[in-house]
Amino acid sequence: MADGIKGWARLIRATKVSYWGLGWALRAEEAFRIEAALCVLLVPAALWLGHGGVERAVLLLSLFFVLITELLNTAVEVVVDRIGPEWNELSGRAKDLGSAAVHLSLLQVPAVWACVLLS
């Protein structure tokens, strides 16, 4: 590791920077705020509607998958923007692919919930 931090100190540092990233996303990314708000609303529904641990876990994971995908998409966008503001076909493609991943993650939520709740 470049900074020489090891063991518990490394774990604590990794946890802190993870929360810094979440905080930044909540402050700076409207899409993440909207998805997080929907997650807050749907988590209790998932816990209430799921019958047993596996169903609850599947419903919850479908929600968290959206947040994870949005964070990764945002990371791609930040890196592309860091490289430069001028238009580049590959940069555009990278952003489009990230956006497509978020779109698919959003589509899987109602599909998963339907499969679990209608079975």
Side-chain angles (χ1 to χ4, degrees):
M1 188 166 175
D3 57 10
I5 299 175
K6 295 182 180 182
W8 284 104
R10 181 178 181 177
L11 178 63
I12 291 167
R13 170 75 176 158
T15 301
K16 283 181 185 178
V17 298
S18 295
Y19 285 114
W20 291 341
L22 282 171
W24 184 89
L26 284 167
R27 285 188 308 277
E29 290 296 316
E30 184 178 12
F32 186 78
R33 280 195 302 274
I34 292 167
E35 292 155 356
L38 288 171
C39 212
V40 167
L41 293 173
L42 290 173
V43 162
L47 295 173
W48 185 64
L49 294 171
H51 296 94
V54 173
E55 284 190 5
R56 289 183 186 117
V58 169
L59 294 173
L60 290 172
L61 286 171
S62 74
L63 299 174
F64 290 121
F65 183 69
V66 171
L67 298 179
I68 293 164
T69 308
E70 186 66 55
L71 288 170
L72 292 171
N73 179 50
T74 300
V76 168
E77 291 177 349
V78 168
V79 169
V80 167
D81 291 346
R82 164 67 175 86
I83 292 169
E86 68 280 347
W87 184 87
N88 177 281
E89 181 181 347
L90 293 176
S91 295
R93 191 175 309 150
K95 287 185 171 190
D96 291 348
L97 289 166
S99 179
V102 171
H103 183 72
L104 290 176
S105 77
L106 289 166
L107 291 177
Q108 62 82 38
V109 173
V112 167
W113 282 56
C115 288
V116 170
L117 299 178
L118 298 176
S119 64

